[in-house]
Amino acid sequence: MTVEEPNASRTDDTTDGTTDGTTDGTTDEVREALAAIGATAVPTSRACLALAKAHRSAGSPRRSAQWAFAATDAATSGAGADFAAWLGADRVWRSVREQLPPAPRTARVAVLGSYTTTQFTQLLPLACARAGVDVEVYECGYGLFRAELLDPTSGLHTFAPDVIVLAVDESAVDLPARSDDPEASVEAELARWTSLWDTARSRFGARVVQHDVVVPADVALGHLADQTPGSRHWMLRRFSERLGELAGTAAGQGVGIVDCERLASTVGKRTWIDARYVHAAKQAVALGCVPLLAQHTAAVIGAQYGRSRKCLVLDLDNTLWGGILGELGPHGIEIGHGARGEAFTAFQRYVLDLKEKGVVLAICSKNDEAHVREAFEQNPEMLLSLDDVAVLEAGWGDKPTAVRSIARTLGIGEDSLVFVDDNPAEREAVRELLPDVDVVALPREPAGYVAALADYPFFETEALTAEDAARTAQYKARAQAVEVRENAGTLEEYLASLDMHAEVADLGPDNLARVAQLLGKTNQFNLTTRRHSLADVEAMAQDPAWTAQVVRVRDRFADHGVVGVLLARRDGDVLDVDSWLLSCRVIGRTVEDEMFGVLVRTADSLGCTSLRGTHVPSAKNSQVAGLYERLGFEQGGRDGSSTVWTLELPAAVSTPGLVQVEVARRVIDLRDVPSARLDDEQKVEVSW
Amino acid sequence: MSEQSNRTLGGDGVEGRMLQVFREVLAVDDLQLSDASTAADVPGWDSLAHINIMYSLEAEFDVQFSDEQLTSFQDVGELRRFLVEQAG
């Protein structure tokens, strides 16, 4: 990757005559940044970003945003993918956002993810603004997407989304390693996803953007997996294919798919999924690919809101064919033969494919119109014909004027146009004078043209764009019917279907390190956030005054490992809960209620007459502020911002019973230890 | 603490590029760092920002940190020495 310092490309070369001095507020900084843009065929993201900053300094917020958007385009795909540049563009855009005219559409977008989606969520507003939709975003904790959808008290319900993005990865797909009836397994899993779509539409009247799953690159079965329908690999591929199919049927009304499998294949799956970041931070999409994912998600949302670009405006010489028509004549231009000619043919074929899907084609060329017509009519290698072209603007006037005329002729806004030209000067002239027109930069070699245009995602179409308001109303009308069918089920039913098992163990050599780690890093569900060290925990394990619950949870998706810890210390007749935490992997699954049940039984067996709990508020643990109260504790006191809670024993406890609990060894063993002898001083031999 | 560890990072080489990445990711244009800086000293350098920083440094210098370095490290000096050695 090359880095250009914002002002490093200081040259005395004059900028293109078409771009300099035409704007109010042009400063030296802007001129220098513009010069850097012109220095390469395809402007780098850093150069675009420098220009965005220069325009901001010069007091041109619209141009600043325009170039911040250009920076995101330049930093999205291929080797130039640049997460930091997106962060920079995000910052510039946010700093001028208030001064921009309102975006054509607005939406409330909720991101429900199965992995760490924080960066994705951060970049999504920028990406959507680029697509013409001003969004406010909401992010649920990772892995909570089903719970958030189903729980009527969830933050998602308060947020009231217009769009729900299901940002999931392969780990969220519940397919077995092997199946005797693979088609049935796939269909059963698909039904669980379409029921989420139903819930999104019926409860919220929301559109859905479903991220398709990326089939992992690493397959133990090797090539045999393709021939083995019972394998998870085969089923995942089938699942992915069927998910797209279903989204195209009535069941998928209002559902847009982001084909992550294609995006990942384009950049390479080992680039898309960086195992180190998966393990270190649950980043199922590598940060370098998050911009691409955000951009394509925004394109699909933009399409849902009718913001797709409608018209492709093409240059001719060295864009649709090689060479200069005026010099070479209709038969001399490069098309059809030779490496370059074939590259231009391939580009014409791609342009025709775009036309097939509904993109209107227009031509904007500095040529005599008669010559242009000759080339199209007489050169047999031309794939495109003039019949494919809605508007032909050929002449010697400037291109911005011609492009504006195309929009007027078609009766569409300039913000529906995409301008493609091999000449950087023409591109920058259009960008400068028609800021609403999108500009696609072509690389030097025609072999790269198809990829350059294919990387531009805002021709995305969605069959359902026409009657946005009506569709939402329609969903609302269907809502009651679906509620009655309850096909999506309740949160309880969902949790019960998870088939959750919790194994509760005491502190032991096999879990001390994990316990210390959880104490060290858990923030949200953590009542006291006391960061006991490994040595502290080892000492507790040896100290009979302490009792612990080390909770391992598995469900039909996965063994989540040790995800819950409760440390309590005997203080006379009181069992005092020193620390209580749950990993965010299992928050919202009633595991805490079952731990509470075990705690009460343990206290009983120790002969304690009451339980004491403390809540120490932190910046991140507000979700447990009401826990003790909900469990029936009385508030006993306050120590600074901390609150102390008491529950007299014996107490009748009924737990939700959605998690099957097995209590292993030592907690039970404690029943045999006479409570009267459990003082601090007394050592009890503990064997593991 | 030695004078060396208090010296602020800068210049055009690895140090300067490294500082630039920190500034971009943490959105602090005038951020100053020294070898002795740790996450605790730098506003906004939380666990999420840490992952963003490490990823962006890897992309900037085309290197890979060890798993150990990804999640824990002593101070900025450790990162700087690693980057100078790998990419300097």
Side-chain angles (χ1 to χ4, degrees), chain A residues 550-568:
Chain A
V550 180
V551 183
R552 185 178 190 93
V553 173
R554 68 186 151 84
D555 59 33
R556 63 196 175 87
F557 283 97
D559 184 342
H560 299 286
V562 171
V563 286
V565 174
L566 187 152
L567 302 172

Side-chain angles (χ1 to χ4, degrees), chain A residues 527-528 530 576-578 612-616 628 642-645:
Chain A
L527 271 304
T528 55
R530 290 177 185 149
D576 180 66
V577 180
D578 173 88
R612 183 164 64 219
T614 308
H615 173 237
V616 182
Y628 283 121
S642 304
T643 48
V644 180
W645 300 80

Side-chain angles (χ1 to χ4, degrees), chain A residues 194-410:
Chain A
T194 53
S195 98
L196 291 182
W197 299 350
D198 288 344
T199 308
R201 291 177 301 199
S202 65
R203 291 214 177 151
F204 305 101
R207 296 177 178 80
V208 174
V209 176
Q210 170 81 55
H211 286 182
D212 193 1
V213 297
V214 177
V215 181
D218 308 311
V219 187
L221 262 181
H223 299 287
L224 188 60
D226 262 17
Q227 306 164 38
T228 312
S231 70
R232 180 172 163 89
H233 179 81
W234 188 95
M235 286 187 288
L236 272 174
R237 281 166 66 149
R238 184 87 183 115
F239 173 81
S240 155
E241 196 179 284
R242 288 279 297 134
L243 198 67
E245 259 175 50
L246 285 170
T249 67
Q253 206 177 14
V255 178
I257 296 272
V258 176
D259 187 357
C260 296
E261 173 72 6
R262 175 170 66 83
L263 297 180
S265 302
T266 307
V267 300
K269 288 189 178 180
R270 291 224 172 88
T271 302
W272 184 270
I273 301 170
D274 186 331
R276 295 176 313 127
Y277 285 88
V278 175
H279 302 318
K282 298 285 173 288
Q283 303 282 357
V285 179
L287 294 186
C289 297
V290 167
L292 182 63
L293 183 60
Q295 190 198 43
H296 280 261
T297 301
V300 170
I301 291 173
Q304 289 179 325
Y305 278 80
R307 295 300 307 157
S308 301
R309 298 276 163 162
K310 295 180 180 65
C311 174
L312 177 60
V313 182
L314 293 153
D315 169 52
L316 293 178
D317 290 345
N318 286 319
T319 295
L320 273 188
W321 58 63
I324 310 291
L325 177 63
E327 295 170 5
L328 302 169
H331 298 287
I333 53 177
E334 291 174 290
I335 181 79
H337 306 296
R340 279 172 57 85
E342 289 193 20
F344 286 108
T345 301
F347 186 59
Q348 288 202 6
R349 189 173 296 120
Y350 187 82
V351 166
L352 271 177
D353 286 347
L354 282 179
K355 182 200 163 232
E356 282 304 306
K357 84 162 192 176
V359 175
V360 176
L361 303 183
I363 284 174
C364 178
S365 171
K366 284 184 177 168
N367 264 310
D368 285 328
E369 185 174 332
H371 284 153
V372 170
R373 291 190 176 277
E374 229 173 54
F376 274 98
E377 283 156 10
Q378 293 180 14
N379 190 317
E381 301 296 337
M382 292 286 292
L383 287 184
L384 271 170
S385 80
L386 285 175
D387 290 342
D388 297 316
V389 177
V391 183
L392 171 63
E393 279 280 339
W396 298 97
D398 68 282
K399 288 213 169 181
T401 304
V403 171
R404 185 172 286 150
S405 155
I406 287 169
R408 214 177 296 123
T409 306
L410 290 171

Side-chain angles (χ1 to χ4, degrees), chain B residues 19-80:
Chain B
L19 181 64
Q20 194 58 35
V21 168
F22 271 88
R23 288 176 172 178
E24 274 181 4
V25 175
L26 294 174
V28 182
D29 288 339
D30 57 355
L31 177 72
Q32 297 292 335
L33 292 173
S34 72
D35 273 2
S37 304
T38 66
D41 307 330
V42 180
W45 190 350
D46 56 15
S47 56
L48 182 76
H50 182 68
I51 288 295
N52 294 350
I53 289 166
M54 297 307 266
Y55 183 89
S56 300
L57 286 173
E58 287 190 344
E60 172 73 24
F61 292 100
D62 195 20
V63 297
Q64 288 205 343
F65 293 110
S66 69
D67 292 356
E68 184 73 21
Q69 286 167 323
L70 264 191
T71 48
S72 65
F73 66 101
Q74 283 297 309
D75 52 28
V76 166
E78 182 183 328
L79 294 181
R80 184 187 61 78

Side-chain angles (χ1 to χ4, degrees), chain A residues 141-142 144 521-527 529 531 580-584 587 615 618-625:
Chain A
Y142 87 79
L144 291 180
K521 73 172 191 182
T522 307
N523 294 315
Q524 297 182 45
F525 192 111
N526 194 336
L527 271 304
T529 323
R531 306 293 195 198
W580 188 359
L581 64 83
L582 282 180
S583 158
C584 52
I587 289 176
H615 173 237
S618 74
K620 294 188 175 157
N621 75 356
S622 58
Q623 66 168 269
V624 292

Side-chain angles (χ1 to χ4, degrees), chain A residues 627-652:
Chain A
L627 180 69
Y628 283 121
E629 185 171 20
R630 178 167 76 75
L631 295 175
F633 284 64
E634 301 275 336
Q635 188 171 341
R638 177 174 281 282
D639 178 9
S641 58
S642 304
T643 48
V644 180
W645 300 80
T646 307
L647 180 71
E648 298 302 327
L649 297 177

